[in-house]
Amino acid sequence: GLFRTSREGGILEANEALVKMLGYRDRASLLKVKLSRIYQTQTDRLNFLSTLDDKGTFEKRGVIFRRQDGSLLTADVYARGLRDHQGRITAYEGCIIDTHGRDKAARALREAEAKYRTLVERLPNAIIYLEPVDPAADSFYISPQIEELLGFPRTGFNRKSDLYAHMDEADRERVIREFTDHMESGEPFDDEYRLTARDGRS
């Protein structure tokens, strides 16, 4: 939602997205409301003003606003001060981002990941690993069966290359080549290779 407000606490401009986020009937209804009605606490408003006066910009997550029906909206706020030719701030403009949908999606993702890990960590005689497409991402996962089947601690595997280091030398070059072809073509990767356990077994 986009806004422009006065120093005195009036709403000068608001787009339709902000009208809907705050639950007002129409734009004209929202423009009649003072900001003291929308902020959950006066402290939030004073923090907004002092930060903008000091830095000229305002960025804060988790600001709580009050909708027209009294329910609360948690949002991220980004704003800047508008200055006259003498450098004095005369108004503020910025955007309010409703984080409810984002937070709900993040919770659902965490729950799905927890269920997935519970499932794969119960599979017997199988080592499951997940590696992000972005090599810079730090989210490699390998199931705990690696310890039972190969005898190596799971903490020693932080990327796929750590797993390949335990691959039988007779298979390694071929598998790496085939996996590279898979990454370029996007075709499914289905291969068979031997891993060397801590005690020397393959």
Side-chain angles (χ1 to χ4, degrees):
L2 303 179
F3 65 84
R4 180 174 292 176
T5 60
S6 68
R7 288 185 62 85
E8 295 72 31
I11 302 175
L12 304 175
E13 296 289 344
N15 68 349
E16 286 301 319
L18 187 58
V19 173
K20 292 179 180 178
M21 285 168 57
L22 294 175
Y24 284 82
R25 182 176 67 255
D26 51 39
R27 180 172 167 273
S29 299
L30 178 58
L31 294 184
K32 295 177 182 178
V33 178
K34 291 293 184 181
L35 288 171
S36 57
R37 166 68 181 79
I38 293 176
Y39 275 93
Q40 185 190 28
T41 69
Q42 187 63 22
T43 301
D44 288 335
R45 172 66 177 168
L46 294 176
N47 180 47
F48 176 86
L49 294 174
S50 62
T51 301
L52 278 164
D53 287 343
D54 181 41
K55 298 181 179 180
T57 60
F58 180 89
E59 297 183 11
K60 187 175 181 181
R61 296 180 178 272
V63 180
I64 301 177
F65 297 96
R66 187 180 293 108
R67 293 188 177 94
Q68 193 275 333
D69 63 3
S71 62
L72 300 179
L73 166 72
T74 301
D76 294 345
V77 181
Y78 302 89
R80 65 171 183 163
L82 301 178
R83 300 178 183 274
D84 61 18
H85 63 281
Q86 294 180 329
R88 296 174 299 191
I89 293 180
T90 58
Y92 310 98
E93 67 177 10
C95 66
I96 296 174
I97 301 173
D98 184 353
T99 61
H100 177 72
R102 182 186 66 195
D103 294 344
K104 184 177 179 180
R107 287 195 300 271
L109 178 60
R110 288 194 297 269
E111 291 172 1
E113 289 177 342
K115 290 178 181 178
Y116 178 79
R117 290 193 178 194
T118 299
L119 174 64
V120 301
E121 290 179 3
R122 290 179 178 175
L123 292 175
N125 302 319
I127 298 171
I128 308 296
Y129 71 88
L130 301 174
E131 183 172 52
V133 174
D134 182 359
D138 184 22
S139 57
F140 181 80
Y141 168 81
I142 192 163
S143 62
Q145 288 90 328
I146 190 77
E147 299 181 7
E148 179 182 347
L149 297 178
L150 295 185
F152 296 105
R154 182 163 55 156
T155 54
F157 295 86
N158 298 308
R159 57 188 63 82
K160 184 173 73 272
S161 58
D162 294 334
L163 186 63
Y164 281 4
H166 298 286
M167 187 180 294
D168 190 294
E169 291 187 7
D171 298 331
R172 188 180 304 146
E173 184 176 344
R174 169 185 58 81
V175 172
I176 292 176
R177 182 178 64 252
E178 292 174 358
F179 184 79
T180 301
D181 292 341
H182 148 73
M183 291 297 291
E184 293 176 352
S185 67
E187 294 296 321
F189 179 66
D190 184 5
D191 211 336
E192 184 173 333
Y193 49 84
R194 292 162 293 180
L195 294 172
T196 302
R198 192 169 191 171
D199 61 6
R201 292 178 294 110
S202 288

